[in-house]
Amino acid sequence: MPVFSPASLTETTASIFAAAGMRVDEARVVAELLVEANLVGHDSHGVIRIPQYLGQVEAGDIVPDAAVEVVHEAPTLAVLDAHWGFGQVAMSRGVDMALEKARATGMAAISVRQANHVGRLGSYVERIAEETAVALMFVNGAPVCRMAPWGGREARHGTNPIAMAFPSRSGPPVVLDMTTSAVAEGKVRVQRNRGAEVPDGWLLDAEGQPTNDPNTLYADPPGTILPLGGSLGHKGYGLNVAVELLAGALAGAGCLAQDRRFRNGALLLVLDVEKLVGLDAYFAEADTYIDFVKSAATAPGVKAILMPGDSERAIAEKRKVEGIFIEDETWAQIVASAAKVGVEVSG
Amino acid sequence: MPVFSPASLTETTASIFAAAGMRVDEARVVAELLVEANLVGHDSHGVIRIPQYLGQVEAGDIVPDAAVEVVHEAPTLAVLDAHWGFGQVAMSRGVDMALEKARATGMAAISVRQANHVGRLGSYVERIAEETAVALMFVNGAPVCRMAPWGGREARHGTNPIAMAFPSRSGPPVVLDMTTSAVAEGKVRVQRNRGAEVPDGWLLDAEGQPTNDPNTLYADPPGTILPLGGSLGHKGYGLNVAVELLAGALAGAGCLAQDRRFRNGALLLVLDVEKLVGLDAYFAEADTYIDFVKSAATAPGVKAILMPGDSERAIAEKRKVEGIFIEDETWAQIVASAAKVGVEVSG
């Protein structure tokens, strides 16, 4: 299994995207975000996406050199149109604008439309928290439907993730990045490929009955993924609807009701800590609270209470030392698609 | 069992709070919000609170005629100090200010500190949605801890609710109002009082093992309520932490790490639809999406797909006709506490 340092994997990835028609600096932005996803253990959002993205470029679905347009701007607002470029490029621009506006006014709302896949949300919000601001991010993704509404048995919802991040002075930022469906489709696929059952609370079959068989999601008619919440799934369903209305309707990116080309819509809210409450007041409360939570006695078999983001950080520390392993099959696909754009890479 | 029209119950409730020392207009605000909670079926947040609030006034914990102070104000921000008055008064003022600011600038963040119980969150956000704005509201409540962190077996968290509301042109607003713990403590108490078990995914005993026995929550040492999410409870835990950091640390109301008098802290974010995306563009997406979700085939035993807020609205329609029933025991307590402030009420 090939193993890479984060720096060399970033270099290679950036050179592939540049060869595919991206500006060199923007290719680097996408490469850094993909490799960061690998680094923190979210391999599903890492360099495994290279062949998919290159296929989309080839098909004309991603415009690799599209310029991000600021459609509308006000002291606290900006509406960005990615013009079907890479989502990571538009979203990174949105983060920069949000931070600048929030620093000036206290808060900012940035929406991103006509964007391709923005990748792992946690990267964006964590970067904001490192600048002593709080970030809330909501993303939808037309037209992929896998989740049924609460009480339903036909898919009407995407995974509709939420990410939030909070600065801490005594430790790293708190970083939450979660789907509002019970799980993402990829996790069901992994279980199917392993020939394993899925846990309770993940799936319904096409009749709307709970099932542990991952194959039902790919049957005809297909089953559905449940909303987050188990027996209280009406809450996860409600959150999922809220994300769709925030990222699809309010951000102007479009909801998934209609048959459309793939896109991510995003709404990013940023609140400046200094302007809202003052840094010292915030950190006094936040750091004391984090210590208080971590001081809870653990349940059997649990070593320590973790804050959101801690497990990703632990994986990153390990991979910075050991390197990032890419599975042979994934690497072979990356090598093959890189060759198509004239880049020769080796493991 | 006494039954009341919403109007007469509001009148009675307002007269009790006025007699307890509130300004007449502010007493009416609290009365309307309590009765609205009864009307939509959330009786735990309705007039059952009258004896509790009057007890807090008597003990000096609620200052009935406290004036809400605007500690800090900017075009998009306001920090309100309730000076230990009724939470409903400060929160209602916050809603007014948020709407005015969001209309002018596109968005607003309002924080409320040193407030008593704000009551049912859904009322505030729904009112904002009726004014064609989107609301996100986060509330914490020191010092009541019932929920353990994910992996823990000691309580470190409140129920930390989230509420969001979205306007719709073709129907009523979408109103989400949910705890980020699996359930609120009151639901466990109801099961205990009935001698019934609680469902899976609600409780851990003091050893951190899942249990269906509601008595474990009140044992010594006590059990804990699980976060929202069932087997994926790390997500509900993450949301709960996020709410505490938003409402406690960022809003400056204080987190529940420290031993403090009872308070609700709140952060309210309001986004103006017209300023962000335009009303027509928003409604075209939102209404089409809502219809799409509702068109899903239902699971066995389910009559219709509901949007968040629909079930409360159905109860309200029924109770507007049939009246609001108050249990004998609850009514007797209200009558007794009203008598203490010199108000004679009858069922």
Side-chain angles (χ1 to χ4, degrees):
Chain A
M1 196 148 70
V3 54
F4 302 89
S5 73
S8 76
L9 190 56
T10 303
E11 211 57 56
T12 302
T13 304
S15 68
I16 295 171
F17 286 125
M22 292 190 79
R23 281 174 39 176
V24 169
D25 57 337
E26 294 181 348
R28 187 152 192 101
V29 165
V30 176
E32 283 172 352
L33 286 163
L34 292 184
V35 173
E36 187 179 322
N38 284 115
L39 194 66
V40 301
H42 291 285
D43 294 313
S44 62
H45 284 60
V47 294
I48 196 171
R49 300 280 181 164
I50 295 173
Q52 173 199 330
Y53 291 167
L54 291 183
Q56 289 176 282
V57 170
E58 201 179 355
D61 292 329
I62 293 181
V63 180
D65 58 352
V68 179
E69 183 192 358
V70 181
V71 177
H72 170 65
E73 194 174 359
T76 59
L77 306 175
V79 176
L80 304 187
D81 189 325
H83 289 299
W84 304 113
F86 279 83
Q88 291 92 342
V89 173
M91 207 62 241
S92 297
R93 173 85 176 275
V95 167
D96 291 339
M97 293 183 76
L99 278 169
E100 198 184 317
K101 287 175 183 297
R103 254 194 220 108
T105 68
M107 63 189 306
I110 308 287
S111 63
V112 174
R113 57 180 65 165
Q114 305 210 119
N116 279 287
H117 191 232
V118 299
R120 177 178 164 259
L121 277 56
S123 297
Y124 304 106
V125 294
E126 182 161 17
R127 196 176 125 210
I128 292 164
E130 284 164 353
E131 304 282 338
T132 62
V134 168
L136 292 78
M137 186 175 176
F138 309 92
V139 172
N140 81 336
V144 187
C145 277
R146 290 284 189 186
M147 189 189 103
W150 186 240
R153 61 184 172 88
E154 282 182 327
R156 289 292 185 273
H157 307 271
T159 55
N160 289 17
I162 291 177
M164 300 193 198
F166 301 88
S168 162
R169 188 174 271 166
S170 62
V174 174
V175 181
L176 176 68
D177 181 357
M178 55 172 266
T179 60
T180 54
S181 56
V183 290
E185 181 267 335
K187 296 212 172 175
V188 181
R189 201 176 346 142
V190 166
Q191 293 304 99
R192 186 186 61 160
N193 293 350
R194 286 179 184 158
E197 295 204 320
V198 300
D200 289 349
W202 283 29
L203 291 182
L204 296 180
D205 65 22
E207 300 304 311
Q209 302 286 2
T211 177
N212 300 100
D213 178 3
N215 293 297
T216 58
L217 188 60
Y218 308 96
D220 181 20
T224 57
I225 298 176
L226 280 159
L228 170 68
S231 60
L232 301 151
H234 60 285
K235 298 187 186 183
Y237 162 61
L239 284 174
N240 189 287
V241 167
V243 172
E244 189 70 31
L245 291 169
L246 288 165
L250 187 63
C255 292
L256 50 54
Q258 292 153 49
D259 190 25
R260 283 165 162 164
R261 68 192 280 184
F262 176 79
R263 88 272 307 276
N264 269 172
L267 182 71
L268 173 67
L269 304 178
V270 175
L271 300 151
D272 185 70
V273 171
E274 176 63 26
K275 285 265 194 237
L276 261 83
V277 64
L279 289 177
D280 288 341
Y282 170 86
F283 285 123
E285 288 294 337
D287 289 340
T288 308
Y289 170 67
I290 292 167
D291 288 346
F292 175 65
V293 171
K294 290 195 163 189
S295 74
T298 57
V302 176
K303 278 190 207 152
I305 304 296
L306 300 178
M307 296 304 289
D310 280 355
S311 59
E312 284 83 357
R313 211 164 286 115
I315 294 171
E317 289 310 314
K318 195 160 169 282
R319 292 190 176 183
K320 273 177 198 165
V321 176
E322 298 178 0
I324 295 168
F325 289 81
I326 308 292
E327 288 168 11
D328 290 328
E329 171 62 20
T330 302
W331 186 247
Q333 289 174 11
I334 292 170
V335 170
S337 50
K340 278 207 205 173
V341 293
V343 176
E344 197 182 315
V345 294
S346 56
Chain B
M1 195 149 70
V3 54
F4 303 88
S5 73
S8 76
L9 190 56
T10 304
E11 212 57 57
T12 302
T13 304
S15 68
I16 294 170
F17 286 125
M22 292 190 79
R23 282 172 40 175
V24 169
D25 56 337
E26 294 182 348
R28 190 154 190 98
V29 166
V30 177
E32 283 173 352
L33 285 164
L34 291 183
V35 173
E36 187 180 322
N38 285 115
L39 194 66
V40 301
H42 291 286
D43 295 314
S44 62
H45 283 61
V47 295
I48 195 172
R49 299 280 180 163
I50 295 173
Q52 173 199 329
Y53 292 167
L54 292 182
Q56 289 177 282
V57 170
E58 201 179 354
D61 292 328
I62 293 180
V63 180
D65 59 351
V68 178
E69 182 192 357
V70 181
V71 178
H72 170 64
E73 195 174 0
T76 59
L77 306 174
V79 176
L80 305 186
D81 188 325
H83 288 299
W84 305 113
F86 278 82
Q88 291 92 343
V89 173
M91 206 63 239
S92 297
R93 173 87 176 275
V95 167
D96 291 341
M97 293 182 76
L99 278 170
E100 199 185 314
K101 287 175 183 296
R103 253 192 222 109
T105 67
M107 63 190 306
I110 309 287
S111 62
V112 174
R113 57 180 65 164
Q114 303 210 119
N116 279 288
H117 191 232
V118 299
R120 178 180 164 259
L121 276 55
S123 297
Y124 303 107
V125 294
E126 182 160 17
R127 196 176 126 210
I128 292 164
E130 283 164 353
E131 304 283 338
T132 63
V134 168
L136 292 79
M137 185 176 176
F138 308 92
V139 172
N140 81 336
V144 187
C145 277
R146 289 284 190 188
M147 189 188 104
W150 187 241
R153 61 184 172 87
E154 283 182 325
R156 290 292 185 274
H157 308 270
T159 55
N160 290 17
I162 290 175
M164 301 193 198
F166 301 88
S168 161
R169 188 175 269 165
S170 62
V174 174
V175 181
L176 176 68
D177 182 357
M178 54 173 266
T179 59
T180 53
S181 56
V183 292
E185 181 268 335
K187 297 213 171 173
V188 180
R189 201 175 347 143
V190 166
Q191 294 304 98
R192 186 186 61 160
N193 293 350
R194 285 177 184 159
E197 295 204 321
V198 299
D200 289 348
W202 284 28
L203 291 183
L204 296 180
D205 65 20
E207 300 304 312
Q209 303 286 0
T211 178
N212 300 101
D213 177 4
N215 293 299
T216 57
L217 189 60
Y218 308 96
D220 182 19
T224 57
I225 297 176
L226 279 159
L228 170 67
S231 61
L232 301 151
H234 60 285
K235 298 187 187 185
Y237 162 60
L239 284 172
N240 189 288
V241 167
V243 172
E244 189 71 31
L245 290 170
L246 288 166
L250 187 63
C255 293
L256 50 53
Q258 292 154 50
D259 191 25
R260 283 165 163 162
R261 68 194 280 183
F262 176 79
R263 90 270 309 276
N264 268 173
L267 182 72
L268 174 66
L269 304 179
V270 175
L271 300 152
D272 184 70
V273 172
E274 176 63 24
K275 285 263 192 242
L276 261 83
V277 64
L279 289 177
D280 288 341
Y282 170 87
F283 285 123
E285 288 294 335
D287 289 341
T288 308
Y289 170 67
I290 292 167
D291 289 346
F292 174 67
V293 172
K294 290 194 162 189
S295 74
T298 56
V302 176
K303 278 189 206 153
I305 305 296
L306 300 178
M307 296 303 291
D310 281 355
S311 61
E312 283 83 357
R313 212 164 285 115
I315 295 170
E317 289 310 314
K318 196 161 169 280
R319 291 190 176 183
K320 275 178 196 164
V321 176
E322 297 177 1
I324 294 167
F325 290 80
I326 308 292
E327 288 168 11
D328 290 328
E329 170 63 19
T330 302
W331 187 247
Q333 289 175 10
I334 292 170
V335 170
S337 49
K340 277 205 205 175
V341 292
V343 177
E344 196 181 315
V345 295
S346 56

